[in-house]
Amino acid sequence: MAYQALDFYDFDSLLQEEELAVRDEVRRWVSERFMPKIEECFLEQRFPLELSRELGEMNLFGATLSGYGCAGLNNTVYGLINRELERGDSGLRSFLSVQSGLVMYPIHSYGSEEQREKWLPKLATGEAIGCFGLTEPDHGSDPGGMVTHAVDKGDHYLLNGAKMWITNGSIADVAVVWAKLDGVIRGFLVEKGMQGFSAPLHRKKFSLAASVTSELVFDNVKLPKENILPGVEGLKGPLSCLNQARYGIAWGVIGAAQACYDEALQYQLERKQFNRPLASFQLQQAKLAEMMTAITAAQGICMQLARLKDEKRITPPQISLAKRNNVAMALDVARSARTMLGANGISLEYQCGRHMLNLESVYTYEGTHDIHTLVLGHAASGLPAYSN
Amino acid sequence: MNIFVCMKRVPDTESQIQLAADGRSVDTAGLNYIINPYDEYAIEAALQLAEKEGGEVTLLTVGASDSDKTIRKGLAMGAQKAVLLDSGEDLADPAQVAVLLADYLKEQSADLVLCGKQGVDYDHAATGGMLAARLGIPCVSAIASLEVAEGKAKVQRDVEGASERFEVALPAVLTCDKGLNEPRYASLKGIMQAKKKPLEKVSVTPADSARQTEGMAYPPARPAGRVIGEGTDAVPELLRLLKEEAKVL
Ligand SMILES: Cc1cc2nc3c(=O)[nH]c(=O)nc-3n(C[C@H](O)[C@H](O)[C@H](O)COP(=O)(O)OP(=O)(O)OC[C@H]3O[C@@H](n4cnc5c(N)ncnc54)[C@H](O)[C@@H]3O)c2cc1C
């Protein structure tokens, strides 16, 4: 059976014809080009980098940015792209959202004209890959405490430190690295092959296994002066990027949940126990009812979030709510779907177990579920509870 | 080059086809439509030729008024413009379609007309040939490769156990088979540009069809599977059945 995406409230009717056309084309690409590879990639702990150019040919990278080969489209289209890609795998969506929201966005917003000309066209075609280095071994939820730092040496900067858990790290041609210069957080463009820069791979992941995650090590890296992002200072630089990517995640995980729901439903209609389809038992129907409700609520959140973002009146806590709710929703749906497939639910020949494992990462990255809880508590009470 | 691609919509290949109450047609309610997959090879071939040789690609459809949604997908792939010969509803008789296509194409100065080798809905594989006959120009069906030079097309097609090569004077009608190329996916920019591209609708009245559909029926249910044995012991019997019953060996 072909993939059927749950749309219980007919949200499709709110989409423009071109938005539906984009959705259909990306969905078809995922079915035809990505799905045949994912099981093997997940087992081999490999990202199918050979597909990067195809994503670029479809103009999917940096789709909301204007100029430099980008499509310049609205946030609904961007959301739909994320959702359709994550229907395939959270690793595929991560690849796109890092490149778009965490690499192209800061270069576009804060880069010099030379930096934009140098990197954006190649990142847009998928010819160049980017990564975003914020998290450090000793500073995750608390990025402001970072120790990676640059020193102004007159004709260059000298960069030292390390970043951890960096998506696309080992395959990146350019890394947007956040480091302190005289105690102030600044963005730097570190290029593949620079002396003193290495990006060893994190192996042995049970989650996002089909995505590249790496350490970034800077050992006296000499950075040309023109490699600093001139347009932003302080934590708001990386946080503004995270808002782009979190927005994409809020949409993306709906795709993972829809894939799990579809798989569990098809499976239970087909498989009989006690001479009846599994889907005819009330306990199983209760699971389907919970999934439908949760997915539909998440879709509603995203439709409005897209409008707020297009109208430029979106606030970071609104994005936190969507990221927090939708990722937890998708994780619950994946776990529930996993049970509905019985033993097959733990096989990589089915999707829900893989989605379930992936979503553990999504729950943690881009601000953990807990941190977004604190953001919402802060928004509600006006009292920050992150630290004492 | 002035290239025309005759394309049409067909129900999504994943659709569960339901027969209508009259027992002579398909119930179209709720069907999702896609570009006929063989027509996608034709569109891709046309786009590649136009990119290489210069020229313009026009999509031409005979079909229902709301075929324009599917035609836009072809425009999103990169064709410059499209014409919908609006016959009210989709026509099931290829002769009716071929006449309408020919009447329109006679007035155009096409250098090349490309079609899919068949529609995956009714599988007649007849429209392209009939169209060429009405236009009085050559036709090669089910081509697997295509090159154009100096007003001639060099094509190759696969036949049982061999491959044929032809040189064809242009204009000609060529119908396209799987393997000719890999149709591109539409890009975001292509999709956005498609809505601004000219899509002309011309009302047409099909000639009466000389054939009448008497009835349609679902294919017989597939017989249940058979277990013929287990492990290597079953191999001789399996081979015998493949040879004698299934006749695939
Ligand atoms: C697969 C993967 C890919 C990643 N990709 C990237 C990337 O591309 N770039 C990048 O910069 N980072 C990336 N990350 C890192 C990710 O963003 C961090 O792991 C995340 O921010 C959490 O940091 P931490 O792991 O250090 O956990 P910690 O901050 O140590 O948190 C551990 C636990 O403590 C909780 N906690 C922390 N502080 C508080 C508090 N104040 N109150 C209550 N509870 C608290 C957390 O919620 C969590 O449950 C990635 C991570 C993964 C798993």
Side-chain angles (χ1 to χ4, degrees):
Chain A
M1 258 309 263
Y3 167 58
Q4 310 244 348
L6 177 71
D7 182 19
F8 198 60
Y9 270 22
D10 195 17
F11 288 114
D12 275 2
S13 64
L14 300 176
L15 299 175
Q16 309 286 326
E17 202 177 306
E18 307 84 63
E19 292 167 346
L20 288 169
V22 172
R23 193 270 316 269
D24 289 348
E25 201 67 352
V26 179
R27 183 176 293 175
R28 189 162 74 92
W29 182 87
V30 169
S31 297
E32 293 174 357
R33 305 287 303 162
F34 182 76
M35 295 312 282
K37 291 184 176 232
I38 179 58
E39 185 189 322
E40 175 209 306
C41 285
F42 194 91
L43 273 173
E44 292 177 357
Q45 306 240 333
R46 170 178 98 80
F47 177 75
L49 192 57
E50 65 276 16
L51 297 180
S52 170
R53 289 297 196 100
E54 294 185 28
L55 294 170
E57 275 163 21
M58 293 174 77
N59 311 130
L60 300 188
F61 294 121
T64 55
L65 303 175
S66 51
Y68 310 96
C70 304
L73 299 181
N74 68 24
N75 284 289
T76 302
V77 171
Y78 182 62
L80 290 167
I81 294 168
N82 279 272
R83 192 184 78 188
E84 293 309 321
L85 294 182
E86 194 147 2
R87 189 274 288 195
D89 192 82
S90 300
L92 178 61
R93 197 268 306 136
S94 299
F95 180 75
L96 176 116
S97 61
V98 166
Q99 179 102 340
S100 304
L102 299 180
V103 179
M104 295 173 74
Y105 173 82
I107 294 176
H108 195 277
S109 304
Y110 310 128
S112 66
E113 193 49 45
E114 292 71 38
Q115 290 168 342
R116 291 188 202 140
E117 300 274 357
K118 175 165 182 188
W119 289 110
L120 292 176
K122 282 189 193 163
L123 290 163
T125 58
E127 184 189 342
I129 309 296
C131 72
F132 174 90
L134 179 65
T135 305
E136 299 191 347
D138 295 327
H139 298 275
S141 297
D142 167 29
M146 69 174 64
V147 295
T148 299
H149 63 279
V151 178
D152 191 339
K153 291 285 185 186
D155 63 342
H156 66 273
Y157 296 109
L158 199 63
L159 184 69
N160 276 290
K163 298 286 175 183
M164 276 287 265
W165 299 112
I166 306 307
T167 303
N168 294 353
S170 315
I171 53 174
D173 300 288
V174 59
V176 174
V177 175
W178 302 93
K180 281 182 179 162
L181 178 67
D182 297 326
V184 179
I185 296 175
R186 299 295 302 260
F188 296 90
L189 302 181
V190 181
E191 296 168 26
K192 187 180 210 151
M194 283 183 162
Q195 194 152 22
F197 172 41
S198 58
L201 203 59
H202 286 291
R203 296 175 200 277
K204 304 186 184 172
K205 291 186 311 208
F206 66 72
S207 175
L208 286 189
S211 168
V212 169
T213 317
S214 321
E215 200 179 335
L216 305 182
V217 182
F218 314 105
D219 179 11
N220 284 317
V221 179
K222 268 185 168 181
L223 276 181
K225 278 273 165 108
E226 66 263 22
N227 282 30
I228 193 168
L229 291 178
V232 73
E233 287 187 4
L235 208 51
K236 79 164 193 288
L239 292 187
S240 66
C241 303
L242 293 176
N243 277 332
Q244 307 303 315
R246 288 168 181 169
Y247 170 82
I249 292 174
W251 275 90
V253 291
I254 295 173
Q258 286 172 312
C260 293
Y261 172 85
D262 180 50
E263 182 171 70
L265 176 61
Q266 299 305 337
Y267 186 89
Q268 290 220 330
L269 287 170
E270 193 85 348
R271 182 169 169 86
K272 291 195 175 105
Q273 290 290 290
F274 306 97
N275 298 318
R276 286 164 52 181
L278 286 171
S280 71
F281 293 103
Q282 289 186 354
L283 280 179
Q284 303 307 316
Q285 291 189 356
K287 295 179 193 177
L288 291 169
E290 292 297 343
M291 291 181 184
M292 276 174 92
T293 309
I295 291 171
T296 303
Q299 286 172 317
I301 288 175
C302 280
M303 291 304 295
Q304 172 65 357
L305 200 65
R307 275 155 186 73
L308 290 172
K309 198 162 188 306
D310 280 340
E311 291 163 16
K312 301 203 176 0
R313 52 195 190 94
I314 198 166
T315 64
Q318 287 171 336
I319 300 176
S320 286
L321 186 147
K323 194 271 182 183
R324 177 180 182 275
N325 179 77
N326 292 10
V327 177
M329 174 288 289
L331 189 52
D332 285 345
V333 167
R335 285 174 176 156
S336 186
R338 214 290 306 141
T339 68
M340 292 171 73
L341 270 67
N344 278 323
I346 68 143
S347 167
L348 278 180
E349 284 173 24
Y350 291 83
Q351 308 166 53
C352 54
R354 174 168 50 77
H355 281 300
M356 178 186 83
L357 294 172
N358 284 339
L359 288 162
E360 293 290 351
S361 286
V362 183
Y363 189 85
T364 292
Y365 70 25
E366 302 270 353
T368 67
H369 186 83
D370 296 337
I371 291 296
H372 290 297
T373 309
L374 298 182
V375 172
L376 294 182
H378 184 185
S381 68
L383 305 171
Y386 312 97
S387 59
N388 41 22
Chain B
M1 279 186 88
N2 188 15
I3 309 172
F4 280 80
V5 179
C6 303
M7 61 158 279
K8 69 166 182 177
R9 66 178 193 176
V10 293
D12 189 334
T13 44
E14 301 285 351
S15 313
Q16 298 276 1
I17 298 295
Q18 301 290 329
L19 297 186
D22 66 6
R24 287 191 303 194
S25 56
V26 169
D27 181 2
T28 55
L31 278 185
N32 256 335
Y33 289 97
I34 57 170
I35 301 176
N36 174 41
Y38 290 107
D39 299 349
E40 285 196 347
Y41 300 114
I43 297 173
E44 180 62 37
L47 294 175
Q48 288 183 12
L49 269 181
E51 280 159 12
K52 209 166 134 226
E53 311 284 329
E56 191 173 57
V57 177
T58 308
L59 305 177
L60 181 60
T61 297
V62 173
S65 318
D66 56 344
S67 299
D68 52 351
K69 283 204 182 113
T70 318
I71 297 172
R72 291 269 177 226
K73 295 190 180 183
L75 291 172
M77 287 173 75
Q80 278 77 20
K81 58 190 176 60
V83 178
L84 168 58
L85 303 177
D86 183 348
S87 51
E89 55 185 22
D90 290 328
L91 302 176
D93 182 350
Q96 287 177 302
V97 176
V99 168
L100 290 167
L101 289 174
D103 286 350
Y104 181 84
L105 283 169
K106 259 184 240 160
E107 310 300 323
Q108 316 298 317
S109 43
D111 297 309
L112 177 63
V113 179
L114 294 171
C115 306
K117 76 163 178 177
Q118 72 195 77
V120 302
D121 46 4
Y122 297 108
D123 288 322
H124 288 302
T127 309
M130 288 180 172
L131 169 62
R134 291 209 57 108
L135 290 172
I137 60 177
C139 177
V140 181
S141 56
I143 61 167
S145 79
L146 167 65
E147 271 173 52
V148 170
E150 290 152 21
K152 293 199 171 78
K154 284 183 189 283
V155 301
Q156 174 254 317
R157 64 194 295 273
D158 296 324
V159 290
E160 190 66 44
S163 146
E164 289 183 303
R165 283 180 288 119
F166 294 98
E167 193 180 79
V168 197
L170 296 182
V173 175
L174 305 173
T175 78
C176 301
D177 202 355
K178 191 178 171 174
L180 177 60
N181 50 45
E182 273 208 39
R184 66 195 65 187
Y185 291 88
S187 67
L188 298 198
K189 289 182 202 169
I191 289 170
M192 294 301 151
Q193 282 157 5
K195 69 176 172 183
K196 296 184 206 118
K197 289 181 177 172
L199 195 168
E200 187 192 350
K201 277 195 192 186
V202 182
S203 285
V204 291
T205 313
D208 288 338
S209 174
R211 40 159 248 199
Q212 182 91 35
T213 309
E214 295 208 321
M216 285 179 115
Y218 293 106
R222 269 204 279 169
R226 224 179 332 155
V227 179
I228 53 169
E230 266 183 42
T232 47
D233 291 349
V235 173
E237 176 64 1
L238 180 64
L239 281 176
R240 188 188 69 79
L241 289 172
L242 287 174
K243 269 189 205 140
E244 293 172 16
E245 268 191 31
K247 300 193 163 72
V248 294
L249 290 183

